[in-house]
Amino acid sequence: MKPINEQHIAEPGLVVLDITGGDDDTVRAVMAALEERWATSGVGPGRRDPGEPGVRARVYADVLRPGREAP
């Protein structure tokens, strides 16, 4: 994963989540669940690193703003 720039997440409520799962479906399900709860960067493609198990993805979220399922 690329390094996280502190200035990029300097505002309260902004987070960067690195997700690792056993397969693409699991990683996508986690990203979709986060998107329902908070405003996120959306469901993106997972990636596999050579020699490393699993699938990885990064999601940016604003935990102060509701996601798409909020009232």
Side-chain angles (χ1 to χ4, degrees):
M1 293 277 164
K2 293 181 182 177
I4 298 168
N5 180 342
E6 277 187 48
Q7 291 180 329
H8 181 74
I9 58 169
E11 294 181 42
L14 299 181
V15 297
V16 179
L17 303 167
D18 288 326
I19 300 167
T20 303
D23 56 50
D24 284 307
D25 291 338
T26 301
V27 170
R28 287 183 182 277
V30 170
M31 287 190 288
L34 292 170
E35 187 177 50
E36 290 177 10
R37 181 174 182 97
W38 299 315
T40 72
S41 57
V43 176
R47 68 173 241 235
R48 295 180 183 272
D49 293 327
E52 297 291 323
V55 177
R56 300 171 75 181
R58 177 170 280 174
V59 176
Y60 299 88
D62 183 342
V63 299
L64 300 179
R65 291 181 32 209
R68 59 190 167 117
E69 296 293 318

